[in-house]
Amino acid sequence: MEEKQTNETPQEPGYTPRPAWQLWAARIGLVLFICLVILQVIQMYRGFR
């Protein structure tokens, strides 16, 4: 028996953007991280005086 070859290639899914809540969670997390680093630098500076 012969197998029929089809020219169909499976369609790969395209880019799907992330949900808005993930973007905002990442932004808020980044701001909190930067604030934490700034507070640690200030605390380190106070310890050196």
Side-chain angles (χ1 to χ4, degrees):
M1 289 189 161
E2 291 182 23
E3 291 184 24
K4 291 184 180 180
Q5 291 183 349
T6 59
N7 292 337
E8 296 177 18
T9 57
Q11 294 290 332
E12 293 184 17
Y15 172 74
T16 54
R18 293 192 181 274
W21 69 268
Q22 284 184 348
L23 293 175
W24 282 107
R27 289 173 184 153
I28 292 170
L30 180 63
V31 168
L32 290 175
F33 175 75
I34 291 172
C35 289
L36 179 70
V37 170
I38 290 171
L39 289 174
Q40 287 181 342
V41 169
I42 290 172
Q43 185 178 14
M44 199 169 42
Y45 174 73
R46 286 181 179 170
F48 288 146
R49 286 197 282 167

